[in-house]
Amino acid sequence: MILLSPLGAVGRSVLGLLGAIGRVALFSGQAVGHIFRPPFYFKEFLQAVLYIGYFSLPVVGLTAFFTGGALALQIYAGGARFNAESVVPLIVAIGMVRELGPVLGGLMVAGRVAASIAAEVGTMKVTEQLDALVTLSTHPMKYLTVPRVVAATLTMPILVAIGDVIGVMGGFTVGVTRLDFNAATYLNNTIDFLESWDVVSGLLKAAVFGFIVAMMGCYHGMNSARGAQGVGRATTNAVVSASVLILASNYILTELFFAA
Amino acid sequence: MIELIDIHKAFGAKKVLTGVNLTIPSGESMVIIGGSGTGKSICLKCILGLIKPDSGTILLDGADVATAERDAFLARFGMLFQGGALFDSLSVWQNVAFRLLRGSLKRPKAEAREIAIEKLRRVGLSPDVADLFPAELSGGMQKRVGLARAIAAEPEIIFFDEPTTGLDPIMAGVINELIREIVTEMGATAMTITHDMTSVRAIADRVAMLHDGVIQWSGPVADMDASGDPYLDQFIHGREDGPIEAVR
């Protein structure tokens, strides 16, 4: 029996994980179903666009700028081993638009937005505001989840596109001021070798990450346990699950987009 | 008329409702009393469809609420929540006019605001409160705003969940009186959940006591003191000794 107990623990964990995946899938399916059925709450959608998109711009921009700069330094140092310092502009651009822009942008937005949505919706649940919505003939899924999920899915690509430009400019700034690149050559190398699919694939990833961030925030908020501890746990779970799902889906999307 | 027929509800191994039978006649004010955790709020949430009973039937004017069209069904109800449950992100008037700003009862914004201010006035709040946010109000004012929201769409049935919890005795008296006045003037059917006996005497036409998952006693409020029911007697007098176990 003692030997079997670790197996039992593993089994319980696996069953728990599968159960959670099932619940998230059902929740997501319901939310997507509500996107296409009226009523639509445009005011709540616009507020979510402002909050998720516009107000996340500083954090995404700063992350992209410093990442682009660090990337330029790293690639220059690595490339110097093969006398390939000239690839810095191209690798910085590809690295930013394909991977680091969407992934780091997604993770930063997960930290900011998923936490905030989970805390807000979780507090609404424990203070009976979700029940109040129902009694006022308003479906919480339509009023709270759908506007946030649609807003995040649509604004994340725009946010990441701006982040990509800022990240490339971060690399450009470091390249020109610290690595003695000619400014015009750096920009020409970036533009000439970057393909449209590099950019589009990153933006598609960003849309998926936006969907994940808002969905995890709403799911954990709506399933928050009672009390401050319950809301705190929901907030943590939202950020952790959004981050893990972003990294996992990034791998799957990269396989889909770029596997030979 | 609302009828609860043999309602059962359990959460895991804990059986909360074990066969609740209760009738609330139209136009009457029914108050459900009982100790904490006896399932009073669960009863109310079952009627509204916020919680699904495990078994039993709930009828509203003879029609099963489980098969009713949700929007039309909920449009007949107003509810005052225990903590107010006001939406933090909306101003007071937007909270009161929530139902009038969207859905089937939607009105032009100016008209909805006018109705909200009129309802605020009805519950004793001045129009300058309208543009404040819930966090800027005291507990008593939040209860009044909750009450204004509950009556904004002139519902036929109003539920009050612990309307005086957390209020000082004077404010509790004011809220009790407001509820009684509003229910009478609107001719609404009211169901109130409380363990505050002052509220019971101020609000109720009829009283039902929930204990051990069933309605232990029900009858007109005037008969309550002479009911002869040991459970009710212990509860209304707040005695430690009696058939209801008092945990120390």
Side-chain angles (χ1 to χ4, degrees), chain A residues 41 43-44 120 123-124 127-129 131-138 143 226, chain B residues 45 48 50 70-71 74-75 81-82 85-88 90 94 98-99 102 149:
Chain A
Y41 296 103
K43 195 178 160 207
E44 283 68 28
E120 185 186 354
T123 305
M124 287 184 78
T127 56
E128 293 187 300
Q129 290 178 53
D131 287 345
L133 275 177
V134 176
T135 64
L136 293 164
S137 307
T138 304
Y143 185 73
R226 296 275 167 198
Chain B
K45 288 181 177 179
L48 285 169
L50 297 172
R70 283 295 285 166
D71 276 357
L74 287 168
F81 284 84
Q82 187 174 345
L86 301 176
F87 305 123
D88 306 319
L90 302 179
Q94 287 170 325
F98 191 90
R99 209 172 218 162
R102 44 186 70 74
R149 184 174 70 180

Side-chain angles (χ1 to χ4, degrees), chain A residues 74-121:
Chain A
Q74 289 283 17
I75 293 162
Y76 186 83
R81 295 175 196 168
F82 314 100
N83 293 321
E85 295 94 331
S86 61
V87 297
V88 168
L90 175 62
I91 304 292
V92 166
I94 287 181
M96 282 309 300
V97 300
R98 277 193 183 185
E99 282 294 324
L100 295 174
V103 171
L104 291 182
L107 291 176
M108 295 311 286
V109 173
R112 184 179 174 274
V113 173
S116 146
I117 292 176
E120 185 186 354
V121 177

Side-chain angles (χ1 to χ4, degrees), chain A:
Chain A
M1 286 303 285
I2 292 168
L3 283 174
L4 284 177
S5 61
L7 290 176
V10 171
R12 276 191 296 277
S13 300
V14 171
L15 286 175
L17 180 67
L18 291 175
I21 291 169
R23 284 190 294 276
V24 170
L26 283 174
F27 183 87
S28 304
Q30 282 176 11
V32 171
H34 281 295
I35 290 173
F36 303 103
R37 293 201 304 269
F40 306 111
Y41 296 103
F42 287 108
K43 195 178 160 207
E44 283 68 28
F45 165 72
L46 292 176
Q47 281 173 344
V49 166
L50 195 67
Y51 181 74
I52 296 168
Y54 185 70
F55 291 129
S56 297
L57 204 49
V59 71
V60 171
L62 281 171
T63 307
F65 185 82
F66 289 120
T67 304
L71 202 55
L73 287 174
Q74 289 283 17
I75 293 162
Y76 186 83
R81 295 175 196 168
F82 314 100
N83 293 321
E85 295 94 331
S86 61
V87 297
V88 168
L90 175 62
I91 304 292
V92 166
I94 287 181
M96 282 309 300
V97 300
R98 277 193 183 185
E99 282 294 324
L100 295 174
V103 171
L104 291 182
L107 291 176
M108 295 311 286
V109 173
R112 184 179 174 274
V113 173
S116 146
I117 292 176
E120 185 186 354
V121 177
T123 305
M124 287 184 78
K125 187 185 177 192
V126 301
T127 56
E128 293 187 300
Q129 290 178 53
L130 296 189
D131 287 345
L133 275 177
V134 176
T135 64
L136 293 164
S137 307
T138 304
H139 200 301
M141 189 73 100
K142 279 190 186 301
Y143 185 73
L144 296 172
T145 304
V146 168
R148 285 165 173 77
V149 168
V150 175
T153 308
L154 295 180
T155 56
M156 264 304 279
I158 299 168
L159 204 56
V160 166
I162 296 169
D164 286 347
V165 173
I166 294 173
V168 169
M169 292 319 291
F172 170 81
T173 306
V174 170
V176 170
T177 58
R178 295 266 297 105
L179 308 174
D180 295 330
F181 273 88
N182 176 278
T185 311
Y186 190 103
L187 287 178
N188 279 337
N189 280 353
T190 300
I191 294 161
D192 288 349
F193 292 102
L194 201 60
E195 293 176 7
S196 57
W197 177 237
D198 295 328
V199 179
V200 172
S201 65
L203 300 185
L204 288 174
K205 282 182 178 181
V208 173
F209 299 163
F211 178 86
I212 288 170
V213 165
M215 197 61 82
M216 286 301 100
C218 292
Y219 172 78
H220 288 287
M222 285 200 176
N223 290 288
S224 166
R226 296 275 167 198
Q229 199 181 23
V231 176
R233 196 175 297 130
T235 307
T236 307
N237 289 343
V239 176
V240 171
S241 57
S243 302
V244 170
L245 283 175
I246 283 172
L247 295 172
S249 61
N250 178 56
Y251 172 73
I252 294 166
L253 291 171
T254 306
E255 276 278 3
L256 276 175
F257 294 157
F258 299 107

